[in-house]
Amino acid sequence: MLNIDHISFSYGNKQVLKDITFDVAPGEIVAIVGANGAGKTTLLRILSFVLMQDAGNVVLDGVDPLQLPVKYRKWIGYLSERCPLYEEMTVEQFLRYRLRLKGERALRERRRLTVALELCDLEDVKKSEIKLLSQGFKKRIGLADAVMLHPRLILLDDPLASLDIGHRKQIGTALTSLSAHSAVILAGHEISEMLDWCTRFIVLKDGEIEAFYRTGEFDRAELKHILTSAVSARDEEGEL
Ligand code: ADP
């Protein structure tokens, strides 16, 4: 479904991604893990077509974003790390606005909104101005925005950050149900929680893929140890 083929990217003369190649199938929830600076955000930005790679191809169900950018953008849902929102709007106003911007038909608007609010546990705050809500709520509003139109590919940069444990679990359950129809790729550091519902882990180190792990093929405790070390490697080396 998604083919990522030999992607490389540099900021100036600093190479940040080197020859990244992997495929993602429908039903998969793929976690990109690695120390800070490994290149996770840059990879997600390329997949969401915010940045353009220097070399290599991305193809989603036969569509290359360089050839058909509008179609590609319609097929993806992206939650960026900083999750920009219009804070003076209420949650409901913002999500309705985003639905219209994405071209959803007025007839379907209410249904889309109801499902997204329920999925992300936002019904109780739908009339609240976004600026009055905590970071955890804001993250869930960004997530609702990313998944509202059931995109083929859901890209989430650090979706679990600033969420409490209950909401992390809830997001995991929501993503598992969404993955029936969409592929999901996310970056995150919360290994214990992600092990419960991610189907595959890709370890990035200094812009290169260091390893792939399918969750079902490893003992959970062993995998947790490997992945936790990968995420914290650089911090321990004092390079941050
Ligand atoms: P991660 O998400 O794994 O923390 P990033 O993709 O944010 O990693 O960053 C990868 C590397 O690219 C880091 O060394 C970072 O300093 C560098 N980088 C990120 N954004 C920029 C930018 N706008 N300009 C120059 N270098 C950048």
Side-chain angles (χ1 to χ4, degrees):
M1 149 179 218
L2 176 71
N3 311 104
I4 300 165
D5 194 23
H6 300 289
I7 292 289
S8 295
F9 181 83
S10 300
Y11 281 113
N13 55 13
K14 179 177 176 170
Q15 193 164 17
V16 175
L17 292 175
K18 298 165 201 158
D19 206 22
I20 302 291
T21 296
F22 64 95
D23 292 340
V24 180
E28 282 199 283
I29 306 180
V30 177
I32 314 282
V33 300
N36 285 331
K40 305 179 293 292
T41 292
T42 306
L43 178 58
L44 287 173
R45 283 190 183 150
I46 288 172
L47 297 180
S48 61
F49 207 44
V50 173
L51 284 177
M52 200 180 292
Q53 66 271 23
D54 301 329
N57 295 302
V58 175
V59 179
L60 175 61
D61 285 340
V63 168
D64 176 344
L66 301 179
Q67 309 289 334
L68 295 170
V70 175
K71 191 165 194 179
Y72 183 84
R73 283 209 181 95
K74 277 198 164 168
W75 284 358
I76 62 165
Y78 173 49
L79 170 68
S80 71
E81 202 176 10
R82 294 210 187 114
C83 182
L85 304 167
Y86 292 110
E87 303 235 344
E88 73 284 0
M89 291 183 180
T90 66
V91 175
E92 193 174 6
Q93 283 167 343
F94 175 73
L95 293 174
R96 275 188 194 279
Y97 167 71
R98 293 289 296 162
L99 278 169
R100 284 175 200 169
L101 204 63
K102 292 176 190 190
E104 182 57 304
R105 280 183 268 162
L107 268 175
R108 291 205 192 141
E109 206 177 274
R110 174 167 292 281
R111 175 85 192 125
R112 294 280 197 204
L113 188 67
T114 307
V115 171
L117 290 171
E118 191 185 332
L119 195 73
C120 298
D121 197 17
L122 290 167
E123 290 132 314
D124 292 349
V125 296
K126 68 182 179 186
K127 303 279 183 210
S128 304
E129 281 182 49
I130 295 174
K131 66 180 173 214
L132 302 175
L133 300 173
S134 69
Q135 278 309 316
F137 278 111
K138 289 178 184 172
K139 195 61 115 174
R140 275 149 45 216
I141 297 166
L143 185 69
D145 176 32
V147 304
M148 259 185 319
L149 286 183
H150 300 287
R152 295 180 188 212
L153 176 63
I154 300 172
L155 301 161
L156 309 170
D157 199 350
D158 236 350
L160 304 181
S162 29
L163 296 188
D164 57 45
I165 293 207
H167 280 120
R168 286 181 184 176
K169 279 208 172 109
Q170 191 191 4
I171 295 303
T173 309
L175 291 178
T176 302
S177 100
L178 287 163
S179 73
H181 303 287
S182 316
V184 182
I185 303 181
L186 71 148
H189 300 92
E190 299 79 3
I191 302 295
S192 296
E193 283 104 333
M194 294 196 301
L195 274 168
D196 289 338
W197 40 267
C198 288
T199 57
R200 189 153 49 115
F201 285 82
I202 295 178
V203 178
L204 266 192
K205 187 177 182 197
D206 297 330
E208 290 183 272
I209 293 182
E210 188 181 56
F212 293 92
Y213 300 98
R214 280 195 191 279
T215 316
E217 294 171 2
F218 287 83
D219 171 70
R220 184 191 159 100
E222 186 190 347
L223 191 52
K224 183 176 170 186
H225 177 70
I226 295 171
L227 296 170
T228 307
S229 313
V231 167
S232 56
R234 183 154 297 186
D235 307 50
E236 281 164 14
E237 287 164 18
E239 290 180 27
L240 273 180

